[in-house]
Amino acid sequence: MLGRLCPRTARVAHPGEDLPRVLKARLEKLAALKERGIEPFAYSFDVTRHATPSVAAFEEREGEAADGERRRVAGRWAGRVAGFRSHGRSAFADLEDHTGRVQVYFKRDSLGEDSYSLLALLDLGDWIGVEGELFRTRTGQVTILAKDLRLLGKSLRPLPFGKVETDPGTGRAITHSGFADRESRYRQRYADLAVNPGVREVFRARTRIVTAIRRFLDDLGFLEVETPVLQPLYGGASARPFVTRHLALNRTLYLRIADELYLKRLIVGGFDRVYEISKDFRNEGIDRFHNPEFTMLEFYQAFADYEDMMGVVERLMTTAAQAAGGGFGRTFHGVEITLAPPFRRLPFVDSLAEALGTDPLDAPVNVLRARAEEQGAGDLEGAGRGKLLDRLFGELVRPGLVQPTFVVDYPKELSPLAKAKRGEPRLTERFELFVAGEELANAFSELNDPIAQRARFEDQAALRAAGDAEAQMVDEDYIRALEYGLPPTGGVGIGIDRLVMLLTGQTSIRDVILFPTLREAE
RNA sequence: GAGCCGGUAGCUCAGUCGGUAGAGCAACGGACUUUUAAUCCGUAGGUCCUGGGUUCGAUUCCCAGCCGGCUCACCA
């Protein structure tokens, strides 16, 4: 395990310590390089070519009947040495840059004795610059014939490269050995990224998704804003916060658990469409769907209701799916999922009525509690109807929501910030989007009546007093903002990490967060 | 928080029914001027997660702990 290695090997800067052989050997090479007057840590390199596009360009020109000069693909490549095969007076290296790999051929005759002897001081993981020209080897591989070699950055610690083989049948890359230990991969993401191109691709896809969402919202006239991470009161969701302290102000502040209440303040202020892609923080358990800090998209649109927002969410989802690549079809947890709109709509109460065989709004609370306990949901002491219905929904309905489904019209107690449903005051105009049994989005017609909002906050305060630690706090400043006047507004929250998981087929949130939260090592 | 599984060389892993451990790759030395999981010959590399217990002897058995994974609970 790498964790054990660290205490002894972390201090590479002090040669002479009892370092593992591999590090020692590299330090010796470093010394040899300096002795020869070669700077092992260069300042810059003028890159004119990249691996994959240059090979593509070569193959394209090869087909053309142009004259020799125009067909040449020459220049300077830079990358990391990801493979090395030495044959005495010639050698092959795999050079990997951000676009992929290209093979380099070093021949003593064309490189010269001096440069060629430098190869002996190279290691896997070194950054090198190569000047040369593409050609095709006897076995048909497009390869750089190196005319000059420059060391750009010496690698002192061995990267756990696996050997990559191309399956002749499918053409797929098979990696042997490699870097698989999940703990080490998360703790040393830099090494994980360096040796696992598939991991790099997941995070590129993540950025493509986020960029596409930004463009989508920008094009609809939404204004991207930034609201406080440090908040005097936390609200907008039900969760335990991280608590911190500002010394100069001598006051307690909370890391936000949501940005909802601030964004709606901005609608009060007259921005009619706003959004924020924010890091939110919830001081709760960690599992493969939860990380203490995670990325949330919230957007609010004046004059819209939750029906309007369902349409926006459908379009946003398909935009994101296209950005991730791979069309609308997805395999998640071994299940086929189709993200093509329109998504199914399922009333919360109807779904539960069917599962329970009774009307969830009329059934006595003790009956609901008994049914919930039957389902093995323990600790429902003091739980009100809302919490019980939510629990029952989670047990009976939610697991079956595999294809994208908007669950609509939630009970009022569950939704203190949502507007009452037209014609059914016990419900709210709220929807959640479920895919593969997981909640991806949460939205409502926002409650814009300050008097009703105060009453909801007071209901929450009562729940809180009754022992519900997740009930929300009264936010007087938010009420004041509503008193100035909030237009009818539709609002949506989308968990970006979970969306990326779905769209890239990753089964753990840690595989879509570059540096996930872990316990302290050692 | 509970249950199960795991932690052995730089990496991926095997193994020891209790007698201080192996392979492949990586590394080091050598051969090889079109290889591609290069090949061939040789060398070196270990606090077997940590602490305690049992034992003549523990990497192995027992207990506790640490870290990770999975499942469940919690996180609407």
Side-chain angles (χ1 to χ4, degrees), chain A residues 172-296:
Chain A
R172 289 195 164 201
I174 306 165
T175 302
H176 300 270
S177 295
F179 192 39
D181 181 72
R182 292 171 84 96
E183 179 176 359
S184 306
R185 288 181 43 225
Y186 296 145
R187 289 195 193 279
Q188 301 184 41
R189 182 70 88 185
Y190 35 87
D192 186 29
L193 290 164
V195 303
N196 291 324
V199 175
R200 291 203 295 269
E201 176 48 29
V202 167
F203 288 102
R204 279 203 198 91
R206 180 178 174 125
T207 296
R208 286 200 305 273
I209 290 165
V210 172
T211 301
I213 288 173
R214 278 210 166 88
R215 187 172 307 132
F216 173 79
L217 291 171
D218 291 344
D219 288 349
L220 287 176
F222 283 85
L223 184 72
E224 183 173 11
V225 296
E226 292 179 273
T227 67
V229 172
L230 295 173
Q231 301 182 349
L233 284 178
Y234 58 96
S238 307
R240 276 153 56 201
F242 286 88
V243 185
T244 188
R245 185 138 198 95
H246 190 276
L247 296 176
L249 294 177
N250 189 29
R251 76 184 293 192
T252 297
L253 292 169
Y254 303 94
L255 271 63
R256 65 179 164 205
I257 59 171
D259 46 6
E260 166 151 2
L261 300 183
Y262 281 93
L263 292 176
K264 284 191 278 192
R265 283 174 171 99
L266 295 177
I267 302 286
V268 169
F271 294 123
D272 76 331
R273 293 182 179 195
V274 294
Y275 75 99
E276 181 168 18
I277 295 173
S278 67
K279 270 286 183 74
D280 291 353
F281 306 85
R282 298 187 182 175
N283 207 337
E284 283 161 355
I286 297 177
D287 63 28
R288 64 177 219 279
F289 288 102
H290 297 85
N291 195 65
E293 62 177 294
F294 62 101
T295 303
M296 176 82 102

Side-chain angles (χ1 to χ4, degrees), chain A residues 73-363:
Chain A
V73 176
R76 285 180 296 277
W77 289 256
R80 178 175 254 143
V81 179
F84 196 79
R85 296 170 292 281
S86 167
H87 296 264
R89 285 172 206 82
S90 75
F92 292 90
D94 299 317
L95 182 78
E96 182 168 304
D97 66 16
H98 71 282
T99 67
R101 287 185 180 188
V102 60
Q103 180 169 262
V104 188
Y105 181 48
F106 299 101
K107 199 159 65 160
R108 197 175 65 175
D109 295 350
S110 42
L111 249 191
E113 185 83 41
D114 254 24
S115 279
Y116 193 81
S117 65
L118 210 165
L119 287 178
L121 299 174
L122 276 190
D123 287 296
L124 289 184
D126 285 353
W127 291 97
I128 60 169
V130 168
E131 178 160 10
E133 174 178 349
L134 289 179
F135 74 109
R136 208 174 263 283
T137 64
R138 195 188 292 164
T139 53
Q141 180 158 354
V142 178
T143 298
I144 302 169
L145 177 62
K147 298 200 176 88
D148 191 23
L149 167 66
R150 207 62 67 79
L151 180 59
L152 303 180
K154 187 76 189 142
S155 164
L156 296 180
R157 187 182 290 271
L159 276 168
F161 280 109
K163 293 225 168 180
V164 181
E165 177 187 21
T166 308
D167 183 58
T170 62
R172 289 195 164 201
I174 306 165
T175 302
H176 300 270
S177 295
F179 192 39
D181 181 72
R182 292 171 84 96
E183 179 176 359
S184 306
R185 288 181 43 225
Y186 296 145
R187 289 195 193 279
Q188 301 184 41
R189 182 70 88 185
Y190 35 87
D192 186 29
L193 290 164
V195 303
N196 291 324
V199 175
R200 291 203 295 269
E201 176 48 29
V202 167
F203 288 102
R204 279 203 198 91
R206 180 178 174 125
T207 296
R208 286 200 305 273
I209 290 165
V210 172
T211 301
I213 288 173
R214 278 210 166 88
R215 187 172 307 132
F216 173 79
L217 291 171
D218 291 344
D219 288 349
L220 287 176
F222 283 85
L223 184 72
E224 183 173 11
V225 296
E226 292 179 273
T227 67
V229 172
L230 295 173
Q231 301 182 349
L233 284 178
Y234 58 96
S238 307
R240 276 153 56 201
F242 286 88
V243 185
T244 188
R245 185 138 198 95
H246 190 276
L247 296 176
L249 294 177
N250 189 29
R251 76 184 293 192
T252 297
L253 292 169
Y254 303 94
L255 271 63
R256 65 179 164 205
I257 59 171
D259 46 6
E260 166 151 2
L261 300 183
Y262 281 93
L263 292 176
K264 284 191 278 192
R265 283 174 171 99
L266 295 177
I267 302 286
V268 169
F271 294 123
D272 76 331
R273 293 182 179 195
V274 294
Y275 75 99
E276 181 168 18
I277 295 173
S278 67
K279 270 286 183 74
D280 291 353
F281 306 85
R282 298 187 182 175
N283 207 337
E284 283 161 355
I286 297 177
D287 63 28
R288 64 177 219 279
F289 288 102
H290 297 85
N291 195 65
E293 62 177 294
F294 62 101
T295 303
M296 176 82 102
L297 163 68
E298 291 195 34
F299 56 98
Y300 292 84
Q301 176 174 339
F303 317 118
D305 65 11
Y306 77 143
E307 287 286 348
D308 298 319
M309 301 320 277
M310 273 185 253
V312 178
V313 168
E314 276 174 346
R315 280 180 282 142
L316 183 147
M317 290 289 293
T318 57
T319 300
Q322 281 162 350
F328 292 161
R330 285 293 185 284
T331 305
F332 196 66
H333 290 286
V335 191
E336 298 293 322
I337 288 162
T338 306
L339 292 168
F343 301 157
R344 178 187 170 209
R345 278 141 218 240
L346 177 68
F348 181 91
V349 168
D350 292 2
S351 73
L352 257 188
E354 191 182 328
L356 288 170
T358 176
D359 184 338
L361 295 180
D362 289 330

Side-chain angles (χ1 to χ4, degrees), chain A residues 288-289 329-337 402 435-438 440 497-509 512:
Chain A
R288 64 177 219 279
F289 288 102
R330 285 293 185 284
T331 305
F332 196 66
H333 290 286
V335 191
E336 298 293 322
I337 288 162
V402 174
V435 183
E438 288 301 319
L440 276 188
D497 311 280
R498 289 185 188 173
L499 176 63
V500 173
M501 283 170 68
L502 171 72
L503 294 179
T504 60
Q506 300 302 306
T507 54
S508 171
I509 199 168
V512 299

Side-chain angles (χ1 to χ4, degrees), chain A residues 462-479:
Chain A
L463 287 176
R464 205 178 173 81
D468 186 347
E470 291 150 12
Q472 298 192 26
M473 300 194 287
V474 184
D475 188 333
E476 289 293 347
D477 181 72
Y478 177 64
I479 303 250

